[in-house]
Amino acid sequence: MDSDRLNRWLTLGANIGVVIGLAVLIYEIRATQYLAETQALVRRGDQIQAAQVQMAMSESLAAIRVKAIGEGVQSLTDAELYRLQMWERAVRNRMGSQYVEYLRGYTDEAVGNSIVEAAVRMLPYWEKLGMELGEDPFAQAVKETAGR
């Protein structure tokens, strides 16, 4: 009889241990997800800030962009056009990578929507520069939102 009683107590202890282990596991998964979301948002902010600093510190990029917007893309020299296209492709690539973070669940829907809406506003400008969006999920979301 004592071994039966001991067996029940051991089984109860094991079951309690399993429940506690599952609770700790759930907590750890949620903490990891929160950390990943936070890192994605911080990385996005860092990327935006770095781009703004780079534009501000550039000797000619800001002037080229102002010229393209004010006088039209046709007023740019080949070198200016190439430089501006490379800059805007980098902007588009940053937006695309941030959108992938949204698709993977690392940022919320508001962030994903704001990225797409910003790209839709940039779309006519990018088209004037001769840039194509491509066919990736970000490009598809931009085209759909723009009604294309």
Side-chain angles (χ1 to χ4, degrees), residues 57-129:
M57 299 303 291
S58 172
E59 298 268 335
S60 61
L61 191 53
I64 293 170
R65 195 162 199 237
V66 168
K67 181 179 176 183
I69 292 170
E71 299 174 29
V73 173
Q74 72 281 358
S75 68
L76 300 177
T77 66
D78 288 344
E80 290 171 333
L81 178 60
Y82 178 77
R83 187 164 187 192
L84 190 55
Q85 285 173 330
M86 291 301 105
W87 169 261
E88 293 300 336
R89 282 190 182 108
V91 169
R92 186 258 183 248
N93 289 340
R94 278 192 301 271
M95 292 173 119
S97 68
Q98 292 167 1
Y99 188 74
V100 168
E101 289 179 330
Y102 157 68
L103 290 177
R104 301 291 186 264
Y106 294 118
T107 57
D108 61 23
E109 188 174 358
V111 171
N113 289 341
S114 72
I115 294 166
V116 170
E117 289 165 8
V120 167
R121 288 190 301 275
M122 295 295 294
L123 193 54
Y125 174 66
W126 288 343
E127 288 172 340
K128 287 178 186 175
L129 290 173

Side-chain angles (χ1 to χ4, degrees), residues 16-49:
I16 290 172
V18 167
V19 170
I20 290 171
L22 287 174
V24 169
L25 179 64
I26 290 169
Y27 172 79
E28 288 295 324
I29 289 172
R30 286 187 180 170
T32 301
Q33 178 66 23
Y34 179 77
L35 179 61
E37 290 171 4
T38 301
Q39 288 173 336
L41 289 172
V42 168
R43 189 171 36 254
R44 178 174 187 256
D46 288 346
Q47 288 174 345
I48 291 169
Q49 181 183 6

